[in-house]
Amino acid sequence: MENNKQNGKVIETAGLTKLFGSLKAVDEVSLNVEKGEIYGFLGLNGAGKTTTIRMLLGMIRPASGEARLFGKKIIPGHPGPWEKVGYLVEMPYSYPELTVRENLSAVSRLRGLKGNNSLEKIIQLLHLTPYMKVKARNLSQGNNQRLGLAKALIHRPEILILDEPSNGLDPSGIVEVRELLKDYALNHGVTVFISSHNLAEIAKLATRIGIIHHGRLVQEIDAEKLDAELEKSLFIGIRDRKGAVEFLTGKGFAVNAANNGSIQISDPAACEEPEKINTLLVQNGFPPHHLNVVQEDLESYFLRTIGEKHA
Amino acid sequence: MLKDIFVTLSIEITKIRKTMIFWISIAASCFMSFILGLMMWLVMNPDLLPPGILKTKVDLAAINADWPSYIGFVEMAVAALGIVLFGFAVSWIFGREYHDRTVKDLLALPVSRTAIVISKLIAVSLWCLLLNAIVFVLSLVTGALLQLPLWSAGLFPGYLTVFAVTTLLCLLLCPPVAFVASAGKGYLPSIGFVVLCMGLANLFGNIGLGSFFPWTVPMIYAGAIGGVTNQLPIESIIAMGITFIAGTVGTVYYWKYADQCR
């Protein structure tokens, strides 16, 4: 615990592993999340995100390894630091016959909150005021998601563990939740552990990203360094494509014929200084009519990462 | 722990009150009382019934149209139907958390899972007590309306005692159903379990081993199987105790330690 206080780690896993029969759902996952960080936990469906989250919350027992929150080892059925943890696991479900207010009131009482202040605040914060008296069974998917988030946030937790919280939200709702979580982390020191299968969405929010694939944590990267990891390509539109490919290959460039009728060079030097390639081509009788440096999108990067690591 | 139980119990009661099934169960209790009264009225007026299945049933019941017979008839019905009705109620309380996938919201809270399970068992007991209280009061009202003969003040304590003990015996059978609803992750497996146990209860009752089988015991006690005894042999007390304790411990253990993937 003392060590934990010194290094500021509030979420830790060490060799966390879970087997379902012969399937290794989570395989030796070790990660640390510091106070105030937003950790994006990225993976395809079935990669092991939810199983990891359930182990962090003491809902399932690891086959080996351990999870710690605030330095306290999480053991299913044993007391944990739950008063400081808010969570949303998979799709949120509420008691369908209770209204929004009644559902939140139940959570508020289970969390030991006094009075109605927290309840009123969270209803306003998540824009649920018009739906206060609506039964949960009659809510849209988006408002059901807001209710799930309200249940996770009602007690102003120090750790937020959220499993795909943007599911079902419309674009403005996604931005709203993103800004809300950023505010919690940056201005209130809340540590956010958020899972998703959407790197583009996670990249806008997280300070650090962990990619899980087939149960293994295959990469961790600071979000600010993500840009440098993305591959760039120079696309050149040219009439004599065959001649230009032969010429540039002869000059030592790795050249491919792109699907859009242009040629593609992925050499970092070519992408950094495309004007030099242009000059070279013009001087040798291959004048381009179009040059474009394109950065790999996040989806491609994610798929490339899991593809490489899995291979 | 007591504070946790109090908090979770009040939430459970709110949840029960708001469900349609609660009101359906109350309607079922009223309907059951009405049917028992109707049966007694038909016993009083056998000539009103045309020949058929219903008349055969009334004849087979072989009861007299008086208070002692009516009370015995109600006690038998409460034992048999109580097991089923209570089983449905406990299946709902535990199974719906898995069926509606709300259980995950109860697993990482400052309130212990043991307190949640205990408060659910208390809540279902209160629900079942209410249902049987309705049947008890309505049975007296119906008997009075039918103007059944042979009422005496001395009948009431005996009726209340047998009714209360039968209700308690049925309540002791709730925890194993709660375990099946939890481990089966829904209310359908536990409803199936209750139906299976009722079938086995009849089987064990008919082969003379009913006093050892917990689901037969309330029916033996109330006289629905093997004639009126209103007694509990030692093996029945032990069987009921083991069933209650095993069911309660098993349910708490499941909620605390089993992998919760719903």
Side-chain angles (χ1 to χ4, degrees):
Chain A
M1 188 68 183
E2 279 307 307
N3 186 38
N4 166 259
K5 276 181 183 170
Q6 281 164 13
N7 60 25
K9 289 173 192 165
V10 291
I11 302 175
E12 297 169 80
T13 72
L16 201 61
T17 301
K18 180 65 188 176
L19 294 162
F20 290 115
S22 59
L23 174 72
K24 223 172 211 181
V26 175
D27 189 2
E28 298 270 341
V29 167
S30 299
L31 55 84
N32 299 307
V33 186
E34 308 267 333
K35 182 174 168 56
E37 261 194 317
I38 302 178
Y39 189 95
F41 197 47
L42 197 72
L44 301 173
N45 293 335
K49 304 186 296 288
T50 302
T51 304
T52 304
I53 283 176
R54 283 186 183 270
M55 285 191 280
L56 282 174
L57 292 168
M59 294 181 186
I60 55 181
R61 187 179 300 278
S64 60
E66 62 177 37
R68 288 177 182 270
L69 299 179
F70 297 106
K72 184 173 175 60
K73 187 174 176 181
I74 302 303
I75 304 170
H78 287 242
W82 306 126
E83 67 283 358
K84 294 190 274 189
V85 179
Y87 66 93
L88 176 68
V89 181
E90 293 181 304
M91 289 293 291
Y93 290 92
S94 301
Y95 296 108
E97 67 280 1
L98 300 189
T99 64
V100 166
R101 192 187 169 85
E102 287 165 342
N103 267 293
L104 287 170
S105 171
V107 176
S108 170
R109 282 186 283 162
L110 286 169
R111 292 271 179 202
L113 304 178
K114 307 281 182 205
N116 285 331
N117 271 353
S118 310
L119 184 63
E120 305 300 342
K121 276 183 188 167
I122 205 68
I123 283 175
Q124 282 178 18
L125 189 67
L126 272 300
H127 303 298
L128 287 167
T129 310
Y131 309 100
M132 264 194 325
K133 293 179 181 170
V134 175
K135 289 187 175 176
R137 73 157 69 94
N138 297 325
L139 290 177
S140 66
Q141 195 186 347
N143 283 326
N144 213 13
Q145 194 75 14
R146 284 172 187 273
L147 176 55
L149 283 166
K151 290 195 285 185
L153 296 168
I154 193 167
H155 55 299
R156 294 199 71 85
E158 292 176 41
I159 294 180
L160 262 173
I161 298 176
L162 305 173
D163 192 5
E164 314 244 8
S166 301
N167 273 354
L169 292 175
D170 58 27
S172 73
I174 292 172
V175 173
E176 196 186 307
V177 168
R178 189 194 306 149
E179 294 309 313
L180 180 72
L181 296 178
K182 276 184 179 174
D183 176 57
Y184 269 58
L186 297 176
N187 300 325
H188 302 285
V190 175
T191 308
V192 181
F193 186 92
I194 180 170
S195 85
S196 177
H197 56 262
N198 187 340
L199 177 56
E201 172 58 26
I202 283 289
K204 290 175 189 160
L205 173 65
T207 50
R208 204 146 57 89
I209 295 168
I211 296 177
I212 185 170
H213 190 56
H214 288 306
R216 294 193 71 87
L217 188 66
V218 293
Q219 188 169 26
E220 275 189 304
I221 184 169
D222 287 338
E224 57 190 27
K225 292 179 186 162
L226 187 61
D227 200 48
E229 292 285 318
L230 299 178
E231 286 185 351
K232 291 183 181 123
S233 293
L234 173 64
F235 287 87
I236 306 168
I238 206 157
R239 295 192 200 292
D240 183 4
R241 200 155 65 130
K242 193 178 169 193
V245 168
E246 282 174 8
F247 169 71
L248 289 169
T249 306
K251 289 287 177 189
F253 290 102
V255 186
N256 296 313
N259 291 336
N260 59 4
S262 57
I263 60 175
Q264 178 186 0
I265 308 176
S266 299
D267 292 60
C271 296
E272 289 298 317
E273 296 176 306
E275 69 279 9
K276 287 188 178 172
I277 300 292
N278 184 43
T279 305
L280 193 63
L281 287 169
V282 169
Q283 285 172 349
N284 290 279
F286 302 104
H289 58 76
H290 180 80
L291 275 98
N292 191 18
V293 177
V294 175
Q295 189 176 45
E296 177 186 34
D297 65 20
L298 292 167
E299 190 179 67
S300 303
Y301 169 75
F302 173 48
L303 293 173
R304 178 164 61 84
T305 303
I306 61 175
E308 278 175 8
K309 303 289 178 179
H310 187 50
Chain B
M1 179 67 118
L2 267 179
K3 190 184 160 205
D4 285 355
I5 290 174
F6 183 75
V7 169
T8 48
L9 180 60
S10 72
I11 293 167
E12 287 303 324
I13 289 171
T14 304
K15 279 151 60 176
I16 291 171
R17 259 191 325 112
K18 296 279 179 174
T19 56
M20 181 65 81
I21 202 154
F22 173 67
W23 299 104
I24 291 173
S25 71
I26 288 183
S29 291
C30 296
F31 184 69
M32 177 177 152
S33 305
F34 168 75
I35 292 293
L36 293 173
L38 180 67
M39 291 282 280
M40 193 51 58
W41 183 72
L42 292 172
V43 169
M44 292 167 72
N45 303 281
D47 299 336
L48 292 175
L49 266 180
I53 294 174
L54 194 56
K55 184 169 175 53
T56 310
K57 281 246 175 204
V58 171
D59 290 342
L60 281 175
I63 51 174
N64 300 320
D66 56 34
W67 269 105
S69 299
Y70 174 56
I71 283 172
F73 187 47
V74 173
E75 287 164 353
M76 284 188 260
V78 163
L81 295 175
I83 293 173
V84 177
L85 210 56
F86 291 11
F88 281 19
V90 75
S91 293
W92 171 255
I93 286 201
F94 282 86
R96 66 88 44 97
E97 300 286 0
Y98 290 91
H99 180 266
D100 293 342
R101 293 173 176 262
T102 45
V103 66
K104 61 193 176 192
D105 286 344
L106 300 174
L107 298 174
L109 293 172
V111 171
S112 78
R113 297 180 195 176
T114 305
I116 289 171
V117 170
I118 290 173
S119 67
K120 278 182 176 293
L121 288 173
I122 295 172
V124 81
S125 302
L126 294 174
W127 181 0
C128 295
L129 284 174
L130 174 68
L131 296 181
N132 269 17
I134 289 169
V135 173
F136 184 77
V137 171
L138 286 183
S139 71
L140 292 175
V141 172
T142 309
L145 287 174
L146 290 172
Q147 296 180 316
L148 293 171
L150 300 181
W151 169 260
S152 71
L155 277 177
F156 185 78
Y159 179 36
L160 182 60
T161 305
V162 175
F163 198 101
V165 172
T166 306
T167 301
L168 176 68
L169 292 173
C170 292
L171 282 177
L172 292 176
L173 300 173
C174 285
V177 183
F179 173 76
V180 176
S182 304
K185 299 184 175 12
Y187 39 74
L188 288 179
S190 52
I191 288 173
F193 175 74
V194 171
V195 172
L196 174 70
C197 287
M198 285 303 286
L200 290 174
N202 273 308
L203 176 69
F204 280 104
N206 287 328
I207 60 174
L209 294 172
S211 60
F212 294 92
F213 187 65
W215 277 265
T216 320
V217 171
M219 291 191 278
I220 291 178
Y221 176 77
I225 291 177
V228 179
T229 63
N230 294 158
Q231 285 181 344
L232 283 172
I234 186 70
E235 68 269 19
S236 296
I237 294 170
I238 292 170
M240 296 302 289
I242 290 173
T243 303
F244 175 75
I245 292 168
T248 305
V249 171
T251 309
V252 170
Y253 186 89
Y254 185 85
W255 274 64
K256 282 189 79 164
Y257 301 116
D259 282 352
Q260 304 283 350
C261 296
R262 291 286 274 195

